[in-house]
Amino acid sequence: MTGDPAGHPYVIRVRGHVDMVWAARFPGFTVTHDAGGTTTFSGTVVDQAGLYGLISRFRDSGLALISIEPAEWGDTGDAR
């Protein structure tokens, strides 16, 4: 992480098509259902501590993580 106040974009995939209600539990993230039966959360994480907190929220919510990938600007949100 570079310490950029805007943070760094991430694409997080979980197993299954989760209900869109989940979007409210992850503010600032776009939730997209993928054709392969997964759900993608795209958004920005401020720093490393924020990333670990986000991972904990996924775990605590019972969502099965498939991948967490840093993205380039423009690869998140409406571009997904």
Side-chain angles (χ1 to χ4, degrees):
M1 302 281 147
T2 63
D4 180 355
H8 190 82
Y10 278 87
V11 175
I12 301 167
R13 289 184 181 82
V14 299
R15 186 169 311 155
H17 283 169
V18 301
D19 193 292
M20 295 307 277
V21 166
W22 288 97
R25 293 189 179 194
F26 298 92
F29 278 76
T30 301
V31 180
T32 307
H33 291 149
D34 303 319
T38 60
T39 300
T40 300
F41 291 79
S42 303
T44 303
V45 178
V46 175
D47 57 17
Q48 196 72 28
L51 178 60
Y52 283 112
L54 185 63
I55 292 168
S56 294
R57 277 197 292 165
F58 277 98
R59 180 200 62 218
D60 294 347
S61 297
L63 298 173
L65 288 172
I66 294 173
S67 65
I68 301 171
E69 301 175 22
E72 296 297 322
W73 292 109
D75 287 349
T76 60
D78 293 333
R80 295 287 319 139

